[in-house]
Amino acid sequence: MHRMNSNLVLQCNQLTKRYKSGDQYITALDRVDLTLRRGETCAVVGPSGSGKTTLLSLAAGLDRASSGSVLLQGQDLSFLDEDALALLRGKSVGFVFQSYQLIPSLTALENVLLPVEIRGYADRDGAKELLAHVGLGERFHHYPSQLSGGEQQRVALARAFINKPAILFADEPTGSLDAENAERALSAMFELNTRYHVALLLVTHDDELARRAQRIIRLKSGRIVGDD
């Protein structure tokens, strides 16, 4: 078993993912090495089909690698069953996706509280503080249908940080937003990242957004072709 430096949140070693298509195997990710430290921000860019989302899915334990390993918070994901993976994600990981994935029947506050309530406690003050921080202090009791797309994404951001995760995975977080709402969501995300010292792995096709991260990983045909 690999051992991870205690300063690292994420360590991917020779990470490879192959899919079978008919009689052929397609390599979506090819021997990728990546480390991420607490508080570090890293954007992953590349053309469509380059392996960006595959890398995020494997790093977050949402999919299984064909070979190689992922160590998340010192735990090798290949040794964890689905229940253990879910427990690790619940404790250490936040997610933000292009689709906000809010529950329509829950208010903004209830959506933010959901991850901690699943674990058996409710930090209402913490949830209200996060919503206020992302500019939604007057929207606690509004349902997703009563919020704009930008506001829904900021609710999703507050929800992602309610567990005070060690790492946040963001997949095209502003892909559905106009420029103004995208800027508000991004400002909130990077401010929360700094405030809670959370590692951020961000998948994007937007070079301008990528330049806001401390590092930029460039993928092409499943391989890293640049690490700036």
Side-chain angles (χ1 to χ4, degrees):
M1 182 186 298
H2 295 281
R3 292 189 178 275
M4 187 169 116
N5 185 309
S6 59
N7 293 323
L8 297 178
V9 175
L10 175 69
Q11 184 174 352
C12 302
N13 303 292
Q14 293 289 288
L15 199 57
T16 299
K17 180 66 177 182
R18 296 186 182 90
Y19 298 96
K20 190 171 185 180
S21 178
D23 295 330
Q24 297 182 328
Y25 280 92
I26 296 172
T27 301
L29 207 64
D30 190 6
R31 293 169 292 175
V32 165
D33 293 322
L34 172 65
T35 59
L36 202 59
R37 289 171 171 77
R38 182 126 194 164
E40 185 177 13
T41 59
C42 179
V44 181
V45 301
S48 179
S50 61
K52 303 186 300 295
T53 297
T54 300
L55 173 58
L56 185 146
S57 296
L58 294 175
L62 299 174
D63 196 5
R64 297 280 187 177
S66 301
S67 62
S69 63
V70 177
L71 278 73
L72 185 60
Q73 285 289 84
Q75 297 193 57
D76 190 328
L77 301 190
S78 62
F79 287 88
L80 303 182
D81 62 20
E82 292 304 318
D83 288 342
L85 280 171
L87 182 62
L88 177 61
R89 286 194 295 264
K91 291 172 55 180
S92 301
V93 175
F95 292 100
V96 179
F97 300 99
Q98 181 174 339
S99 57
Y100 321 120
Q101 298 189 349
L102 302 180
I103 296 178
S105 60
L106 300 182
T107 65
L109 181 62
E110 289 167 342
N111 266 285
V112 174
L113 282 168
L114 189 60
V116 289
E117 288 182 335
I118 288 173
R119 295 174 58 195
Y121 68 96
D123 183 7
R124 294 182 67 86
D125 290 341
K128 288 180 178 180
E129 181 182 349
L130 280 165
L131 283 168
H133 191 84
V134 299
L136 296 174
E138 303 300 319
R139 300 281 196 166
F140 294 160
H141 302 299
H142 285 66
Y143 292 91
S145 62
Q146 299 172 311
L147 302 172
S148 70
E151 289 170 335
Q152 290 184 61
Q153 188 61 299
R154 282 182 277 143
V155 172
L157 276 170
R159 180 183 59 191
F161 280 91
I162 188 66
N163 277 333
K164 298 180 176 61
I167 187 168
L168 176 70
F169 293 101
D171 191 359
E172 301 285 7
T174 59
S176 299
L177 303 179
D178 59 36
E180 181 180 351
N181 278 305
E183 178 56 35
R184 293 190 71 178
L186 288 175
S187 294
M189 183 173 69
F190 281 99
E191 285 170 9
L192 288 169
N193 165 265
T194 299
R195 180 178 185 181
Y196 292 106
H197 203 52
V198 174
L200 171 64
L201 188 64
L202 166 71
V203 166
T204 182
H205 67 279
D206 185 341
D207 282 339
E208 184 176 344
L209 165 55
R211 286 193 289 272
R212 298 176 71 155
Q214 295 164 336
R215 290 171 61 196
I216 300 177
I217 300 291
R218 300 186 184 277
L219 287 179
K220 184 177 181 181
S221 301
R223 294 185 176 183
I224 292 180
V225 295
D227 187 349
D228 307 327

